[in-house]
Amino acid sequence: MKTIIISWLFKYWLLPLYVNFFRFWRILRPSYIKQSSSLILPPSAPGSVGDEAMMNATVAYLKQKGLNKISLISYKPDREWQGLEKIDDTVEMENYFSYDDSRALKSLLRFIPIASQYERFYCLGADMMDGAYYEAFNCKMLRLVSLAAEMGVNSAVLGFSFNEKPTLASIEALRHLPPSVRLCARDPVSQKRLTYHLNRPIELVADLAFMLKPIVDSEIVLKMYNWINDQHDKGRIVIGINPKNPKLSEVYVKTINTLFSENEKLSFMIIPHDFREYKGISDVVLSDNILNEVTPEIKPYCIQLPTPCQAAEIKAIVAKLDFVLSGRMHLAIACLGQGTPVACITYQGKFEGLFEHFALEGMTIEPETIFKRGTLTQFLITRIDSREEIRQHIQSKLPKIQQLSCANFKS
């Protein structure tokens, strides 16, 4: 009973009082606010190449627009975002909030005075806002957005998708955000879903990673360029393959074997795009398994992308590929951002909206369907044959998508 009373007092009395104090302090003392400043809430700890792409693109864009004070909330102080120091070595890590922090009161009371010093607070929504992965974490993120906005900090949830079955807690957390918070859907399908559930303005943008500048001169990139150029010089077609789902590994192997038997001019680059392990499985492990299982005659025409590899390096490399099959959305975004034709094995309802941006149909396949013999092979053959037309179509749409990506930061 005592715990319940303390919790009630904190939620309905102490916390609002604390927030209002800093809101009025910002009004009374404008010099308290750090000029040209932004505090960024990442969607996760470092490890996902997709999250890295969004993070680095965001920091680079804000620096380009003249912000001189950018700080990131760090979930794990001992892990760093790759490539960030090359954009701006003055970016600070604010180590005061963590997913597994059970001391909610201490965490929030520490967050409020720090966030109150910034002009802007950006939450990188990614694929977290529908609660499909970590509902409790999602609600925590939105709580911080709400607190920042209540203090008068210019706040927004940037570039996020929303699946067709969001959790009730996630919907409620979004509904309770102050009206001043900008909600930016990264595709038209997500925008429609959010409008239906929330009945409030939802801005249409594109994923932040479309702004990421490729790195073209690193050792890894030059090594991969040399291999791809050598394959092209021999008249070969280079196909990128990204494995995500361990249940599909056997299908990937059979598909590569069959594609090669149909066209011996095909070469394959296996592309890991997430280096985090879950129960001993990662993209790297799956890539190793696939290369070990393909037939011996194919192996001379296969290569695996070295890891770790930065998101900006991968974006540079995929520009040289003829076609890519991806199980991860941000590898697809890297390809589309370079005009490279890409087809995707879907999950979480995230790809439909991405391809609707480009007015591209028929570039996705459901994972349940590809266990039928030959289905994935035929799906790929048809699209590989049409790769040049697809490339031209993507390139014609890309300028508009890049503008929509920048629209995340509209004042």
Side-chain angles (χ1 to χ4, degrees):
M1 186 65 180
K2 181 179 179 181
T3 303
I4 295 175
I5 293 173
I6 293 174
S7 177
W8 186 91
L9 289 172
F10 169 64
K11 182 176 181 180
Y12 294 103
W13 182 74
L14 176 60
L15 191 61
L17 185 66
Y18 199 49
V19 168
N20 281 329
F21 170 81
F22 283 100
R23 180 166 67 90
F24 286 115
W25 188 249
R26 285 169 57 89
I27 296 172
L28 295 172
R29 293 285 302 274
S31 60
Y32 169 77
I33 303 171
K34 299 172 182 177
Q35 296 302 305
S36 300
S37 62
S38 178
L39 180 62
I40 301 172
L41 177 64
S44 69
S48 163
V49 179
D51 291 348
E52 175 197 324
M54 291 185 289
M55 176 65 69
N56 290 1
T58 296
V59 172
Y61 182 86
L62 294 177
K63 292 301 296 183
Q64 178 188 338
K65 291 300 179 180
L67 270 72
N68 53 39
K69 176 66 175 178
I70 301 173
S71 299
L72 314 180
I73 290 180
S74 175
Y75 301 113
K76 295 185 178 180
D78 59 332
R79 293 172 63 180
E80 297 180 354
W81 292 95
Q82 283 199 96
L84 202 57
E85 73 285 349
K86 295 180 181 179
I87 299 171
D88 181 20
D89 58 9
T90 67
V91 173
E92 294 182 358
M93 307 300 288
E94 299 283 9
N95 304 318
Y96 55 81
F97 177 75
S98 63
Y99 166 67
D100 57 357
D101 189 355
S102 59
R103 298 167 295 178
L105 172 60
K106 184 176 181 180
S107 178
L108 291 178
L109 292 181
R110 179 165 169 73
F111 169 80
I112 289 167
I114 295 178
S116 68
Q117 300 175 56
Y118 290 82
E119 288 184 341
R120 313 175 190 185
F121 181 68
Y122 292 131
C123 170
L124 307 193
D127 54 3
M128 297 295 295
M129 295 296 106
D130 50 34
Y133 292 115
Y134 307 109
E135 182 185 77
F137 185 37
N138 165 33
C139 293
K140 248 184 184 180
M141 294 174 74
L142 291 174
R143 183 74 177 281
L144 299 187
V145 175
S146 183
L147 290 172
E150 289 168 8
M151 290 186 292
V153 181
N154 188 343
S155 302
V157 183
L158 304 182
F160 67 102
S161 56
F162 209 66
N163 70 27
E164 60 185 3
K165 294 181 180 179
T167 67
L168 291 176
S170 297
I171 293 172
E172 286 303 305
L174 285 164
R175 283 176 178 168
H176 283 89
L177 289 174
S180 62
V181 176
R182 293 175 56 239
L183 297 179
C184 303
R186 65 182 176 184
D187 64 76
V189 174
S190 294
Q191 184 190 35
K192 293 172 187 175
R193 291 169 180 164
L194 285 160
T195 301
Y196 170 78
H197 285 291
L198 305 182
N199 193 29
R200 64 177 284 173
I202 307 295
E203 299 180 28
L204 178 62
V205 298
D207 194 278
L208 293 159
F210 279 108
M211 298 188 300
L212 183 69
K213 304 297 183 185
I215 295 174
V216 299
D217 56 357
S218 73
E219 182 178 346
I220 288 178
V221 172
L222 295 176
K223 178 182 177 181
M224 294 298 100
Y225 277 0
N226 288 337
W227 185 84
I228 296 169
N229 290 338
D230 181 60
Q231 300 302 304
H232 284 160
D233 290 344
K234 295 174 181 176
R236 306 188 65 81
I237 301 168
V238 185
I239 309 299
I241 302 286
N242 163 243
K244 175 183 182 289
N245 190 333
K247 296 179 182 179
L248 304 180
S249 292
E250 186 177 347
V251 178
Y252 276 111
V253 173
K254 289 180 178 178
T255 299
I256 292 172
N257 290 339
T258 306
L259 285 171
F260 189 81
S261 68
E262 295 279 339
N263 184 353
E264 293 186 355
K265 286 294 185 180
L266 294 181
S267 298
F268 300 92
M269 177 180 289
I270 313 300
I271 308 173
H273 204 258
D274 195 315
F275 311 139
R276 296 171 297 184
E277 284 197 9
Y278 179 69
K279 295 183 178 180
I281 299 296
S282 70
D283 284 15
V284 178
V285 173
L286 295 177
S287 298
D288 290 339
N289 293 343
I290 289 171
L291 283 179
N292 289 334
E293 294 298 324
V294 296
T295 58
E297 58 264 34
I298 300 177
K299 289 184 180 179
Y301 307 107
C302 293
I303 194 171
Q304 182 172 329
L305 183 76
T307 55
C309 187
Q310 293 182 38
E313 293 174 317
I314 294 176
K315 186 167 184 176
I317 292 165
V318 298
K320 297 281 189 178
L321 300 180
D322 297 295
F323 191 89
V324 174
L325 172 66
S326 178
R328 293 194 178 275
M329 195 182 76
H330 272 100
L331 177 57
I333 289 172
C335 293
L336 292 168
Q338 295 284 59
T340 300
V342 59
C344 299
I345 299 174
T346 63
Y347 64 96
Q348 288 292 342
K350 293 193 293 188
F351 290 96
E352 294 82 355
L354 173 63
F355 284 107
E356 187 172 319
H357 261 317
F358 285 86
L360 269 174
E361 296 182 353
M363 300 304 291
T364 63
I365 186 168
E366 297 289 335
E368 296 80 10
T369 67
I370 66 178
F371 288 101
K372 185 177 179 180
R373 185 176 179 180
T375 300
L376 182 58
T377 301
Q378 193 55 50
F379 171 82
L380 289 174
I381 288 174
T382 302
R383 285 146 188 83
I384 291 171
D385 289 344
S386 305
R387 63 188 181 278
E388 288 309 318
E389 292 89 340
I390 297 171
R391 184 183 298 274
Q392 291 175 15
H393 181 86
I394 292 170
Q395 290 173 342
S396 71
K397 302 291 184 181
L398 189 55
K400 179 183 176 182
I401 304 305
Q402 290 171 331
Q403 288 178 354
L404 282 173
S405 183
C406 295
N408 277 281
F409 301 99
K410 183 177 69 176
S411 298

PDB file of all heavy atoms in Angstrom, residues 206 210 336 339 354-360 390-404:
ATOM      1  N   ALA A 206      10.289  10.458 -45.179  1.00  0.00           N
ATOM      2  CA  ALA A 206      10.958   9.222 -45.576  1.00  0.00           C
ATOM      3  C   ALA A 206      12.011   8.899 -44.524  1.00  0.00           C
ATOM      4  O   ALA A 206      12.356   9.740 -43.683  1.00  0.00           O
ATOM      5  CB  ALA A 206      11.594   9.363 -46.954  1.00  0.00           C
ATOM      6  N   PHE A 210      17.966   7.771 -45.719  1.00  0.00           N
ATOM      7  CA  PHE A 210      18.112   8.241 -47.099  1.00  0.00           C
ATOM      8  C   PHE A 210      19.059   9.438 -47.176  1.00  0.00           C
ATOM      9  O   PHE A 210      19.556   9.777 -48.259  1.00  0.00           O
ATOM     10  CB  PHE A 210      16.749   8.609 -47.692  1.00  0.00           C
ATOM     11  CG  PHE A 210      15.972   7.421 -48.193  1.00  0.00           C
ATOM     12  CD1 PHE A 210      14.851   6.970 -47.513  1.00  0.00           C
ATOM     13  CD2 PHE A 210      16.374   6.747 -49.333  1.00  0.00           C
ATOM     14  CE1 PHE A 210      14.135   5.876 -47.969  1.00  0.00           C
ATOM     15  CE2 PHE A 210      15.665   5.649 -49.796  1.00  0.00           C
ATOM     16  CZ  PHE A 210      14.541   5.205 -49.116  1.00  0.00           C
ATOM     17  N   LEU A 336      18.088   1.423 -52.359  1.00  0.00           N
ATOM     18  CA  LEU A 336      17.209   2.389 -53.022  1.00  0.00           C
ATOM     19  C   LEU A 336      17.845   3.775 -53.057  1.00  0.00           C
ATOM     20  O   LEU A 336      17.703   4.512 -54.034  1.00  0.00           O
ATOM     21  CB  LEU A 336      15.867   2.433 -52.302  1.00  0.00           C
ATOM     22  CG  LEU A 336      15.005   1.171 -52.420  1.00  0.00           C
ATOM     23  CD1 LEU A 336      13.850   1.219 -51.423  1.00  0.00           C
ATOM     24  CD2 LEU A 336      14.481   0.987 -53.831  1.00  0.00           C
ATOM     25  N   GLY A 339      20.000   3.879 -55.956  1.00  0.00           N
ATOM     26  CA  GLY A 339      19.396   3.514 -57.245  1.00  0.00           C
ATOM     27  C   GLY A 339      19.533   2.050 -57.596  1.00  0.00           C
ATOM     28  O   GLY A 339      19.256   1.655 -58.736  1.00  0.00           O
ATOM     29  N   LEU A 354       7.487   1.361 -47.782  1.00  0.00           N
ATOM     30  CA  LEU A 354       8.755   1.795 -48.367  1.00  0.00           C
ATOM     31  C   LEU A 354       8.672   1.784 -49.891  1.00  0.00           C
ATOM     32  O   LEU A 354       9.042   2.754 -50.562  1.00  0.00           O
ATOM     33  CB  LEU A 354       9.894   0.888 -47.889  1.00  0.00           C
ATOM     34  CG  LEU A 354      11.262   1.094 -48.545  1.00  0.00           C
ATOM     35  CD1 LEU A 354      11.800   2.486 -48.264  1.00  0.00           C
ATOM     36  CD2 LEU A 354      12.244   0.023 -48.070  1.00  0.00           C
ATOM     37  N   PHE A 355       8.172   0.699 -50.462  1.00  0.00           N
ATOM     38  CA  PHE A 355       8.086   0.604 -51.914  1.00  0.00           C
ATOM     39  C   PHE A 355       6.962   1.458 -52.485  1.00  0.00           C
ATOM     40  O   PHE A 355       7.022   1.865 -53.649  1.00  0.00           O
ATOM     41  CB  PHE A 355       7.950  -0.856 -52.339  1.00  0.00           C
ATOM     42  CG  PHE A 355       9.237  -1.627 -52.253  1.00  0.00           C
ATOM     43  CD1 PHE A 355       9.438  -2.573 -51.255  1.00  0.00           C
ATOM     44  CD2 PHE A 355      10.260  -1.385 -53.146  1.00  0.00           C
ATOM     45  CE1 PHE A 355      10.621  -3.274 -51.162  1.00  0.00           C
ATOM     46  CE2 PHE A 355      11.457  -2.078 -53.066  1.00  0.00           C
ATOM     47  CZ  PHE A 355      11.650  -3.024 -52.072  1.00  0.00           C
ATOM     48  N   GLU A 356       5.938   1.751 -51.666  1.00  0.00           N
ATOM     49  CA  GLU A 356       4.898   2.672 -52.132  1.00  0.00           C
ATOM     50  C   GLU A 356       5.477   4.067 -52.355  1.00  0.00           C
ATOM     51  O   GLU A 356       5.046   4.791 -53.247  1.00  0.00           O
ATOM     52  CB  GLU A 356       3.745   2.715 -51.125  1.00  0.00           C
ATOM     53  CG  GLU A 356       2.542   3.506 -51.614  1.00  0.00           C
ATOM     54  CD  GLU A 356       1.330   3.385 -50.719  1.00  0.00           C
ATOM     55  OE1 GLU A 356       1.055   2.261 -50.244  1.00  0.00           O
ATOM     56  OE2 GLU A 356       0.661   4.414 -50.485  1.00  0.00           O
ATOM     57  N   HIS A 357       6.447   4.463 -51.534  1.00  0.00           N
ATOM     58  CA  HIS A 357       7.147   5.731 -51.753  1.00  0.00           C
ATOM     59  C   HIS A 357       7.677   5.815 -53.184  1.00  0.00           C
ATOM     60  O   HIS A 357       7.651   6.871 -53.813  1.00  0.00           O
ATOM     61  CB  HIS A 357       8.339   5.843 -50.792  1.00  0.00           C
ATOM     62  CG  HIS A 357       8.073   6.681 -49.582  1.00  0.00           C
ATOM     63  ND1 HIS A 357       7.410   7.881 -49.621  1.00  0.00           N
ATOM     64  CD2 HIS A 357       8.430   6.505 -48.281  1.00  0.00           C
ATOM     65  CE1 HIS A 357       7.347   8.399 -48.407  1.00  0.00           C
ATOM     66  NE2 HIS A 357       7.956   7.589 -47.578  1.00  0.00           N
ATOM     67  N   PHE A 358       8.194   4.699 -53.678  1.00  0.00           N
ATOM     68  CA  PHE A 358       8.823   4.671 -54.998  1.00  0.00           C
ATOM     69  C   PHE A 358       7.861   4.225 -56.102  1.00  0.00           C
ATOM     70  O   PHE A 358       8.279   4.083 -57.250  1.00  0.00           O
ATOM     71  CB  PHE A 358      10.035   3.728 -54.980  1.00  0.00           C
ATOM     72  CG  PHE A 358      11.233   4.295 -54.282  1.00  0.00           C
ATOM     73  CD1 PHE A 358      11.371   4.165 -52.909  1.00  0.00           C
ATOM     74  CD2 PHE A 358      12.221   4.968 -54.982  1.00  0.00           C
ATOM     75  CE1 PHE A 358      12.481   4.691 -52.246  1.00  0.00           C
ATOM     76  CE2 PHE A 358      13.328   5.491 -54.333  1.00  0.00           C
ATOM     77  CZ  PHE A 358      13.464   5.355 -52.967  1.00  0.00           C
ATOM     78  N   ALA A 359       6.604   4.009 -55.737  1.00  0.00           N
ATOM     79  CA  ALA A 359       5.606   3.524 -56.706  1.00  0.00           C
ATOM     80  C   ALA A 359       6.099   2.258 -57.391  1.00  0.00           C
ATOM     81  O   ALA A 359       5.961   2.072 -58.611  1.00  0.00           O
ATOM     82  CB  ALA A 359       5.283   4.614 -57.731  1.00  0.00           C
ATOM     83  N   LEU A 360       6.704   1.365 -56.575  1.00  0.00           N
ATOM     84  CA  LEU A 360       7.206   0.091 -57.075  1.00  0.00           C
ATOM     85  C   LEU A 360       6.328  -1.044 -56.554  1.00  0.00           C
ATOM     86  O   LEU A 360       6.117  -1.166 -55.347  1.00  0.00           O
ATOM     87  CB  LEU A 360       8.644  -0.131 -56.611  1.00  0.00           C
ATOM     88  CG  LEU A 360       9.778   0.361 -57.505  1.00  0.00           C
ATOM     89  CD1 LEU A 360      11.115   0.172 -56.794  1.00  0.00           C
ATOM     90  CD2 LEU A 360       9.795  -0.379 -58.835  1.00  0.00           C
ATOM     91  N   ILE A 390      14.117  -1.289 -63.564  1.00  0.00           N
ATOM     92  CA  ILE A 390      13.858  -0.989 -62.148  1.00  0.00           C
ATOM     93  C   ILE A 390      14.799   0.101 -61.653  1.00  0.00           C
ATOM     94  O   ILE A 390      14.402   1.027 -60.944  1.00  0.00           O
ATOM     95  CB  ILE A 390      13.996  -2.263 -61.285  1.00  0.00           C
ATOM     96  CG1 ILE A 390      12.946  -3.304 -61.704  1.00  0.00           C
ATOM     97  CG2 ILE A 390      13.839  -1.926 -59.804  1.00  0.00           C
ATOM     98  CD1 ILE A 390      13.149  -4.663 -61.055  1.00  0.00           C
ATOM     99  N   ARG A 391      16.071   0.005 -62.046  1.00  0.00           N
ATOM    100  CA  ARG A 391      17.064   1.009 -61.631  1.00  0.00           C
ATOM    101  C   ARG A 391      16.663   2.409 -62.109  1.00  0.00           C
ATOM    102  O   ARG A 391      16.709   3.378 -61.347  1.00  0.00           O
ATOM    103  CB  ARG A 391      18.444   0.642 -62.173  1.00  0.00           C
ATOM    104  CG  ARG A 391      19.566   1.576 -61.713  1.00  0.00           C
ATOM    105  CD  ARG A 391      20.896   1.203 -62.350  1.00  0.00           C
ATOM    106  NE  ARG A 391      21.324  -0.129 -61.975  1.00  0.00           N
ATOM    107  CZ  ARG A 391      22.016  -0.415 -60.879  1.00  0.00           C
ATOM    108  NH1 ARG A 391      22.361   0.556 -60.045  1.00  0.00           N
ATOM    109  NH2 ARG A 391      22.379  -1.660 -60.622  1.00  0.00           N
ATOM    110  N   GLN A 392      16.266   2.515 -63.367  1.00  0.00           N
ATOM    111  CA  GLN A 392      15.860   3.810 -63.912  1.00  0.00           C
ATOM    112  C   GLN A 392      14.641   4.362 -63.188  1.00  0.00           C
ATOM    113  O   GLN A 392      14.552   5.570 -62.919  1.00  0.00           O
ATOM    114  CB  GLN A 392      15.573   3.671 -65.409  1.00  0.00           C
ATOM    115  CG  GLN A 392      16.810   3.405 -66.249  1.00  0.00           C
ATOM    116  CD  GLN A 392      16.480   3.139 -67.711  1.00  0.00           C
ATOM    117  OE1 GLN A 392      15.378   3.421 -68.167  1.00  0.00           O
ATOM    118  NE2 GLN A 392      17.446   2.598 -68.453  1.00  0.00           N
ATOM    119  N   HIS A 393      13.704   3.477 -62.844  1.00  0.00           N
ATOM    120  CA  HIS A 393      12.504   3.914 -62.130  1.00  0.00           C
ATOM    121  C   HIS A 393      12.860   4.444 -60.743  1.00  0.00           C
ATOM    122  O   HIS A 393      12.365   5.497 -60.325  1.00  0.00           O
ATOM    123  CB  HIS A 393      11.515   2.751 -62.015  1.00  0.00           C
ATOM    124  CG  HIS A 393      10.250   3.112 -61.316  1.00  0.00           C
ATOM    125  ND1 HIS A 393       9.162   3.666 -61.960  1.00  0.00           N
ATOM    126  CD2 HIS A 393       9.892   3.020 -59.999  1.00  0.00           C
ATOM    127  CE1 HIS A 393       8.197   3.890 -61.090  1.00  0.00           C
ATOM    128  NE2 HIS A 393       8.617   3.505 -59.892  1.00  0.00           N
ATOM    129  N   ILE A 394      13.712   3.720 -60.026  1.00  0.00           N
ATOM    130  CA  ILE A 394      14.128   4.157 -58.683  1.00  0.00           C
ATOM    131  C   ILE A 394      14.808   5.518 -58.760  1.00  0.00           C
ATOM    132  O   ILE A 394      14.507   6.426 -57.971  1.00  0.00           O
ATOM    133  CB  ILE A 394      15.090   3.116 -58.048  1.00  0.00           C
ATOM    134  CG1 ILE A 394      14.342   1.816 -57.749  1.00  0.00           C
ATOM    135  CG2 ILE A 394      15.710   3.671 -56.760  1.00  0.00           C
ATOM    136  CD1 ILE A 394      15.262   0.669 -57.359  1.00  0.00           C
ATOM    137  N   GLN A 395      15.707   5.673 -59.698  1.00  0.00           N
ATOM    138  CA  GLN A 395      16.451   6.930 -59.818  1.00  0.00           C
ATOM    139  C   GLN A 395      15.532   8.104 -60.140  1.00  0.00           C
ATOM    140  O   GLN A 395      15.787   9.240 -59.713  1.00  0.00           O
ATOM    141  CB  GLN A 395      17.537   6.783 -60.881  1.00  0.00           C
ATOM    142  CG  GLN A 395      18.668   5.849 -60.451  1.00  0.00           C
ATOM    143  CD  GLN A 395      19.664   5.568 -61.550  1.00  0.00           C
ATOM    144  OE1 GLN A 395      19.389   5.778 -62.736  1.00  0.00           O
ATOM    145  NE2 GLN A 395      20.848   5.082 -61.178  1.00  0.00           N
ATOM    146  N   SER A 396      14.453   7.856 -60.871  1.00  0.00           N
ATOM    147  CA  SER A 396      13.520   8.939 -61.194  1.00  0.00           C
ATOM    148  C   SER A 396      12.738   9.407 -59.970  1.00  0.00           C
ATOM    149  O   SER A 396      12.307  10.557 -59.902  1.00  0.00           O
ATOM    150  CB  SER A 396      12.536   8.476 -62.275  1.00  0.00           C
ATOM    151  OG  SER A 396      11.605   7.526 -61.765  1.00  0.00           O
ATOM    152  N   LYS A 397      12.559   8.532 -58.986  1.00  0.00           N
ATOM    153  CA  LYS A 397      11.792   8.864 -57.784  1.00  0.00           C
ATOM    154  C   LYS A 397      12.674   9.359 -56.631  1.00  0.00           C
ATOM    155  O   LYS A 397      12.180   9.967 -55.675  1.00  0.00           O
ATOM    156  CB  LYS A 397      11.015   7.635 -57.292  1.00  0.00           C
ATOM    157  CG  LYS A 397      10.045   7.038 -58.310  1.00  0.00           C
ATOM    158  CD  LYS A 397       8.867   7.958 -58.557  1.00  0.00           C
ATOM    159  CE  LYS A 397       7.861   7.306 -59.499  1.00  0.00           C
ATOM    160  NZ  LYS A 397       6.704   8.186 -59.775  1.00  0.00           N
ATOM    161  N   LEU A 398      13.971   9.078 -56.704  1.00  0.00           N
ATOM    162  CA  LEU A 398      14.857   9.301 -55.557  1.00  0.00           C
ATOM    163  C   LEU A 398      14.934  10.751 -55.087  1.00  0.00           C
ATOM    164  O   LEU A 398      14.921  10.996 -53.865  1.00  0.00           O
ATOM    165  CB  LEU A 398      16.253   8.768 -55.885  1.00  0.00           C
ATOM    166  CG  LEU A 398      17.247   8.714 -54.729  1.00  0.00           C
ATOM    167  CD1 LEU A 398      16.690   7.922 -53.553  1.00  0.00           C
ATOM    168  CD2 LEU A 398      18.561   8.083 -55.203  1.00  0.00           C
ATOM    169  N   PRO A 399      15.009  11.759 -55.959  1.00  0.00           N
ATOM    170  CA  PRO A 399      15.093  13.145 -55.458  1.00  0.00           C
ATOM    171  C   PRO A 399      13.933  13.517 -54.531  1.00  0.00           C
ATOM    172  O   PRO A 399      14.145  14.172 -53.503  1.00  0.00           O
ATOM    173  CB  PRO A 399      15.079  13.978 -56.744  1.00  0.00           C
ATOM    174  CG  PRO A 399      15.662  13.084 -57.778  1.00  0.00           C
ATOM    175  CD  PRO A 399      15.144  11.715 -57.432  1.00  0.00           C
ATOM    176  N   LYS A 400      12.727  13.100 -54.861  1.00  0.00           N
ATOM    177  CA  LYS A 400      11.574  13.401 -54.019  1.00  0.00           C
ATOM    178  C   LYS A 400      11.693  12.710 -52.658  1.00  0.00           C
ATOM    179  O   LYS A 400      11.379  13.294 -51.618  1.00  0.00           O
ATOM    180  CB  LYS A 400      10.286  12.969 -54.709  1.00  0.00           C
ATOM    181  CG  LYS A 400       9.039  13.231 -53.874  1.00  0.00           C
ATOM    182  CD  LYS A 400       7.784  12.722 -54.565  1.00  0.00           C
ATOM    183  CE  LYS A 400       6.555  12.910 -53.661  1.00  0.00           C
ATOM    184  NZ  LYS A 400       5.323  12.372 -54.319  1.00  0.00           N
ATOM    185  N   ILE A 401      12.171  11.466 -52.661  1.00  0.00           N
ATOM    186  CA  ILE A 401      12.310  10.717 -51.403  1.00  0.00           C
ATOM    187  C   ILE A 401      13.370  11.366 -50.519  1.00  0.00           C
ATOM    188  O   ILE A 401      13.210  11.446 -49.293  1.00  0.00           O
ATOM    189  CB  ILE A 401      12.672   9.246 -51.689  1.00  0.00           C
ATOM    190  CG1 ILE A 401      11.642   8.610 -52.618  1.00  0.00           C
ATOM    191  CG2 ILE A 401      12.787   8.463 -50.390  1.00  0.00           C
ATOM    192  CD1 ILE A 401      10.212   8.704 -52.129  1.00  0.00           C
ATOM    193  N   GLN A 402      14.440  11.829 -51.101  1.00  0.00           N
ATOM    194  CA  GLN A 402      15.489  12.487 -50.313  1.00  0.00           C
ATOM    195  C   GLN A 402      14.971  13.785 -49.694  1.00  0.00           C
ATOM    196  O   GLN A 402      15.337  14.136 -48.563  1.00  0.00           O
ATOM    197  CB  GLN A 402      16.711  12.749 -51.195  1.00  0.00           C
ATOM    198  CG  GLN A 402      17.437  11.449 -51.568  1.00  0.00           C
ATOM    199  CD  GLN A 402      18.514  11.637 -52.614  1.00  0.00           C
ATOM    200  OE1 GLN A 402      18.431  12.535 -53.454  1.00  0.00           O
ATOM    201  NE2 GLN A 402      19.528  10.790 -52.584  1.00  0.00           N
ATOM    202  N   GLN A 403      14.108  14.506 -50.421  1.00  0.00           N
ATOM    203  CA  GLN A 403      13.481  15.699 -49.848  1.00  0.00           C
ATOM    204  C   GLN A 403      12.586  15.329 -48.671  1.00  0.00           C
ATOM    205  O   GLN A 403      12.563  16.029 -47.650  1.00  0.00           O
ATOM    206  CB  GLN A 403      12.671  16.407 -50.927  1.00  0.00           C
ATOM    207  CG  GLN A 403      13.507  17.105 -51.989  1.00  0.00           C
ATOM    208  CD  GLN A 403      12.643  17.750 -53.075  1.00  0.00           C
ATOM    209  OE1 GLN A 403      11.428  17.593 -53.099  1.00  0.00           O
ATOM    210  NE2 GLN A 403      13.284  18.453 -53.984  1.00  0.00           N
ATOM    211  N   LEU A 404      11.849  14.227 -48.797  1.00  0.00           N
ATOM    212  CA  LEU A 404      10.983  13.775 -47.704  1.00  0.00           C
ATOM    213  C   LEU A 404      11.798  13.342 -46.490  1.00  0.00           C
ATOM    214  O   LEU A 404      11.361  13.495 -45.348  1.00  0.00           O
ATOM    215  CB  LEU A 404      10.098  12.620 -48.176  1.00  0.00           C
ATOM    216  CG  LEU A 404       8.887  12.995 -49.028  1.00  0.00           C
ATOM    217  CD1 LEU A 404       8.200  11.739 -49.570  1.00  0.00           C
ATOM    218  CD2 LEU A 404       7.895  13.831 -48.223  1.00  0.00           C
TER     219      LEU A 404
END
